[in-house]
Amino acid sequence: MAHPAWTGEDASAASHAKGRACHADDVFIWFQGRVALLRSGQVDALDLDDVAEALREVGLEQSDKLESAIEVSLAHVPKWGHGPEKRSLSWSRTIAEQRMRINTQLHRNSGLESRIVEAVADRYRLGQLQAARTMKRSLETLPAECPYNGDAIVNRPFEFEADR
């Protein structure tokens, strides 16, 4: 079904503006213009290298959303394990929220499953730095390598006593 805001005239205008607008200026408008061109069959009006690059970037954005949720989790999981006296409902809720974000990304983009191990390795150092700062501890007091695998980050119990 065509987007109600886009008509054949929009596709024609988009094709004339092909070289003038960069997708970095307004991603939404740029994508809507390319969609209109595709739907109207004006494939020759597209800069296919530009479209391919934009699609690659969209894929990277999906991966980054997953990695970002993993990073926030990795900032809270060490706090949970190394500061039991400071555990809070807020920490428990943050971990639960990030797990929901991780699971949403994996549900929407099942191809990201293969990125979890790498994402944990990539984002552990950032999460570790955040945890050390928040806990006011030396970075050396936390494990140098991530002690959690993707499954532990997504499934390990982190219930706060008040949640039970």
Side-chain angles (χ1 to χ4, degrees):
M1 179 175 155
H3 190 285
W6 285 88
T7 65
E9 291 174 21
D10 294 325
S12 178
S15 70
H16 294 302
K18 175 182 140 190
R20 289 183 278 154
C22 173
H23 72 273
D25 295 335
D26 189 324
V27 174
F28 181 77
I29 289 174
W30 185 89
F31 267 99
Q32 294 304 315
R34 298 322 83 154
V35 168
L37 289 170
L38 286 167
R39 287 194 171 141
S40 68
Q42 297 181 50
V43 177
D44 58 327
L46 294 168
D47 177 341
L48 295 181
D49 286 336
D50 200 30
V51 172
E53 180 59 23
L55 291 172
R56 186 186 73 78
E57 288 175 12
V58 168
L60 291 174
E61 286 174 10
Q62 298 310 304
S63 180
D64 192 54
K65 284 181 182 181
L66 173 69
E67 288 187 25
S68 180
I70 288 172
E71 179 183 322
V72 175
S73 294
L74 289 171
H76 283 75
V77 170
K79 292 190 302 187
W80 192 270
H82 290 85
E85 70 286 351
K86 294 183 180 182
R87 287 180 184 167
S88 69
L89 186 57
S90 173
W91 286 2
S92 175
R93 295 287 197 263
T94 298
I95 291 168
E97 176 187 339
Q98 296 311 312
R99 285 179 166 181
M100 289 173 72
R101 292 179 187 278
I102 291 167
N103 285 319
T104 296
Q105 278 305 101
L106 293 174
H107 178 73
R108 289 181 181 166
N109 305 283
S110 60
L112 290 174
E113 282 277 350
S114 63
R115 291 266 314 125
I116 291 178
V117 170
E118 187 177 345
V120 168
D122 288 349
R123 297 292 181 120
Y124 176 67
R125 187 75 172 160
L126 291 169
Q128 181 190 44
L129 288 167
Q130 291 175 30
R133 182 183 68 238
T134 303
M135 294 187 309
K136 296 180 172 85
R137 295 180 69 167
S138 168
L139 196 57
E140 290 74 33
T141 63
L142 298 175
E145 298 294 320
C146 185
Y148 313 103
N149 62 23
D151 185 60
I153 291 166
V154 175
N155 297 312
R156 181 178 166 207
F158 288 101
E159 290 183 352
F160 189 62
E161 288 77 20
D163 288 342
R164 294 184 193 146

